[in-house]
């Protein structure tokens, strides 16, 4: 399994020998192992704002102090990041360069190059979460391509793409860091599921996973176009992006207040932007999973609520 993943990473310009790869029970366990291995309570870490909502409680449970870095169209705000490195002495930065959750954006090569230089100057560990990267149909750049593991830990996952029943992921890092992660894994989870890993290996080596991705990308692209058009028709602003499963939509001014409970009363669960901000800061944005948002009744409920008819 590790040899096969190493070959897949090599096709993206990432060199990772089998001994530099650690198999995990999905991306969440990978993040937990990184947090537990390399960070101590009271350490300061940088996180994206908005960012992956499940990450924030993981960090807080470890007793870490979170400092937000705004996510812009081309990637993390590097001015904020550099200032935080000077004033906060952070130990790590958790970042999703490709198909960022929740905005769906992909960082530019220029942004990532500057980010890596800042990290090197400040001894900042970069934790690169690439859980959705396989959905990107183009030539996206990863931090691990430029760094080779000196500053970056690269996390991948197949769970969200194959199905929640198959929880398999990995961490690619330097050999020394991989050994440290392995010691943590052995003392916390002991081992992984060889059954799930063998099932995944069969999907990868037989070509089924590649064909599945091609079909999935096409379906998501069609759904994105449909959902984006409908949301724009309701007055939402849509963040740029052509791949992935998420749309980051800004509600019309003054329309977001009370929208979530009102929609819930109509049987519609909305993922409000506050959920994706460190410290649950206010937000007028909403994350839409395009595969779950094509039902026209969703837009009917939103239209009624935005015009005041459904309140």
């Amino acid at each position: 399994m590790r040899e096969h993943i190493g070959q897949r990473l090599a096709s993206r310009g990432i060199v990772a020998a089998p001994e530099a790869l650690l198999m995990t029970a999905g991306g969440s366990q990978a993040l937990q192992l990184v947090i537990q291995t390399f960070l101590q309570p009271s350490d300061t870490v940088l996180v994206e704002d908005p960012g992956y909502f499940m990450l924030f409680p993981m960090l807080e449970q470890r007793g870490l102090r979170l400092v937000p870095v705004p996510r812009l169209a081309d990637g993390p705000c590097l001015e904020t990041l550099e200032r935080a490195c000077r004033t906060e002495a952070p130990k790590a930065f958790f970042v999703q360069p490709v198909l960022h959750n929740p905005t769906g954006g992909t960082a530019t090569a220029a942004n990532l190059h500057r980010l890596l230089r800042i990290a090197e100057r400040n001894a900042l560990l970069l934790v690169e979460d690439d859980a959705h990267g396989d959905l990107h149909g183009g030539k996206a750049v990863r931090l691990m391509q430029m760094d080779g593991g000196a500053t970056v830990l690269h996390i991948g996952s197949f769970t969200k793409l194959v199905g929640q029943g198959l929880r398999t992921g990995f961490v690619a890092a330097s050999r020394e860091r991989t050994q440290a992660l392995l010691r943590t894994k052995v003392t916390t989870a002991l081992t992984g599921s060889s059954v799930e890993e063998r099932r995944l290996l069969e999907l990868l080596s037989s070509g089924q996973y590649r064909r599945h991705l091609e079909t999935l990308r096409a379906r998501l692209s069609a759904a994105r176009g449909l959902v984006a058009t409908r949301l724009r028709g309701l007055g939402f602003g849509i963040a740029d992006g052509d791949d992935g499963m998420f749309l980051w939509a800004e509600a019309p001014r003054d329309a977001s207040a009370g929208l979530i409970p009102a929609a819930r009363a109509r049987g519609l669960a909305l993922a409000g932007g506050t959920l994706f901000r460190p410290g649950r800061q206010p937000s007028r944005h909403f994350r839409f999973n395009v595969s779950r948002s094509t039902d026209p009744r969703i837009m009917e409920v939103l239209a009624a609520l935005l015009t005041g008819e459904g309140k």
Side-chain angles (χ1 to χ4, degrees):
M1 187 70 234
R2 288 182 291 136
E3 288 175 356
H4 197 94
I5 290 175
Q7 293 167 9
R8 288 173 52 79
L9 292 176
S11 69
R12 294 176 176 172
I14 297 173
V15 178
E19 57 269 26
L21 289 165
L22 177 72
M23 299 304 300
T24 65
S28 294
Q29 189 192 39
L31 287 168
Q32 289 281 17
L33 291 174
V34 169
I35 292 167
Q36 199 166 345
T37 303
F38 300 111
L39 298 169
Q40 299 300 321
S42 79
D43 281 349
T44 295
V45 296
L46 306 180
V47 295
E48 294 185 287
D49 180 15
Y52 178 40
F53 71 99
M54 285 293 291
L55 171 65
F56 305 146
M58 291 184 195
L59 297 170
E60 290 165 348
Q61 288 168 11
R62 182 65 169 162
L64 302 171
R65 178 171 170 266
L66 280 57
V67 174
V69 175
R71 176 74 179 216
L72 307 180
D74 66 339
C77 177
L78 299 179
E79 287 70 25
T80 301
L81 179 105
E82 202 155 19
R83 185 166 56 252
C85 286
R86 289 195 305 267
T87 61
E88 307 291 347
K91 296 294 180 64
F93 179 32
F94 291 80
V95 59
Q96 281 190 318
V98 181
L99 296 184
H100 172 256
N101 182 5
T103 68
T106 295
T108 64
N111 178 279
L112 297 182
H113 181 79
R114 285 185 58 200
L115 169 58
L116 192 56
R117 300 288 84 79
I118 294 169
E120 289 172 346
R121 289 197 303 270
N122 293 276
L124 181 68
L125 181 66
L126 297 176
V127 184
E128 180 176 46
D129 184 351
D130 198 35
H132 298 271
D134 281 356
L135 290 177
H136 195 285
K139 296 289 185 181
V141 175
R142 274 84 174 174
L143 286 163
M144 194 70 168
Q145 288 173 254
M146 308 176 186
D147 174 76
T151 305
V152 179
L153 289 163
H154 181 86
I155 292 174
S157 176
F158 299 93
T159 301
K160 293 180 175 62
L161 307 183
V162 176
Q164 294 296 322
L166 191 85
R167 299 202 60 83
T168 308
F170 64 90
V171 183
S174 67
R175 287 177 171 82
E176 293 76 17
R177 290 196 179 109
T178 301
Q179 285 299 309
L181 289 165
L182 177 59
R183 286 192 291 271
T184 303
K185 180 181 175 182
V186 168
T187 57
T188 55
L190 189 59
T191 186
S193 171
S194 60
V195 174
E196 291 192 356
E197 290 175 15
R198 288 179 184 277
R199 287 173 58 200
L200 178 60
L201 181 58
E202 171 61 25
L203 291 175
L204 293 173
S205 58
S206 67
Q208 293 179 68
Y209 181 69
R210 175 182 52 77
R211 294 190 293 271
H212 167 69
L213 282 182
E214 291 171 355
T215 301
L216 186 58
R217 287 191 195 113
R219 289 178 177 174
L220 287 174
S221 178
R224 282 178 65 85
L226 176 64
V227 175
T229 298
R230 289 175 175 175
L231 287 172
R232 287 191 180 102
L234 295 177
F236 283 85
I238 306 296
D240 292 336
D242 351 284
D243 290 310
M245 62 180 69
F246 300 128
L247 278 175
W248 188 238
E250 185 176 14
R253 187 167 296 279
D254 300 327
S256 57
L259 195 57
I260 292 176
R264 187 182 299 117
R266 298 284 297 270
L268 175 62
L270 294 175
T274 296
L275 179 66
F276 302 93
R277 300 199 63 194
R280 298 293 185 95
Q281 297 300 309
S283 174
R284 285 174 48 207
H285 284 82
F286 293 85
R287 190 195 75 175
F288 288 87
N289 184 328
V290 297
S291 66
R292 304 284 185 176
S293 304
T294 56
D295 189 327
R297 292 174 296 179
I298 294 174
M299 300 303 162
E300 291 170 5
V301 170
L302 285 175
L305 294 176
L306 290 170
T307 58
E309 297 174 8
K311 295 181 181 179

